[in-house]
Amino acid sequence: MAMAEASLEEPPKKRSKKPLLIGLVLALVLGGGGFYATFSGLILGGAEEHAEEEQVPGPLTGIAFVPLETIVISLAPDSGSEHLRFTAQLEVADSAAADVTTLAPRILDVVNSYLRAIDTASIEDPHAMARLRAQMLRRIQVVTGEGRVRDLLITEFVLN
């Protein structure tokens, strides 16, 4: 029993808090240094440099839009719709707007011929719009010449 009494009387040794305090101080110093290095731009690029590079865009110049007349096309009797109503605008270089407007009847002819020639199922497929638009744009660019028409903006494509 002497052993049992001896172990009860000896208080347990206290662990030193010195390593915990050193770790805490190092964490604060390293964290603060990392924050400063990142904030000042020493690490991961400069936030201030990036902010200086962002500029407010100037006025939009060099672009004009030429509206095309609405085209109504009769569809095949076996399709789910009777007519296609198509309206678009052409995005053109500002200097070419007059030339493209002069060629509008020829452009309408090309678009009308293309839409009449394609399969009705292609027109009714909702995922085909991008392909149809690209095909029409390419045909329009052939008619107007390179560099005049930048894009075809379809404003109405209605099956009824």
Side-chain angles (χ1 to χ4, degrees):
M1 284 222 194
M3 268 173 106
E5 289 179 12
S7 64
L8 288 177
E9 292 176 11
E10 293 179 20
K13 291 185 178 180
K14 288 188 176 181
R15 295 178 68 187
S16 173
K17 293 185 181 180
K18 189 175 185 179
L20 180 63
L21 290 175
I22 291 174
L24 183 62
V25 169
L26 280 175
L28 289 173
V29 169
L30 291 175
F35 173 77
Y36 173 75
T38 304
F39 186 74
S40 66
L42 296 174
I43 299 176
L44 302 176
E48 294 172 5
E49 292 174 13
H50 182 64
E52 290 174 7
E53 291 175 8
E54 293 179 20
Q55 297 177 359
V56 177
L60 189 60
T61 58
I63 295 176
F65 292 95
V66 176
L68 296 177
E69 292 179 25
T70 300
I71 300 173
V72 178
I73 297 172
S74 307
L75 300 176
D78 61 338
S79 69
S81 303
E82 294 181 23
H83 297 93
L84 166 65
R85 184 176 171 95
F86 176 82
T87 307
Q89 291 197 17
L90 300 174
E91 180 182 328
V92 299
D94 195 21
S95 60
D99 295 338
V100 173
T101 303
T102 303
L103 292 171
R106 186 172 300 273
I107 294 168
L108 286 172
D109 178 58
V110 168
V111 171
N112 192 6
S113 300
Y114 174 73
L115 289 174
R116 288 187 185 277
I118 61 174
D119 184 29
T120 306
S122 296
I123 293 174
E124 292 174 345
D125 181 19
H127 301 293
M129 181 62 76
R131 184 179 48 80
L132 293 171
R133 185 173 163 267
Q135 291 290 329
M136 287 186 280
L137 176 61
R138 182 65 196 133
R139 284 167 171 73
I140 291 168
Q141 287 173 335
V142 167
V143 168
T144 60
E146 291 295 323
R148 288 193 172 111
V149 177
R150 294 179 182 166
D151 204 359
L152 171 67
L153 308 169
I154 298 174
T155 55
E156 186 176 24
F157 194 89
V158 178
L159 294 168
N160 59 12

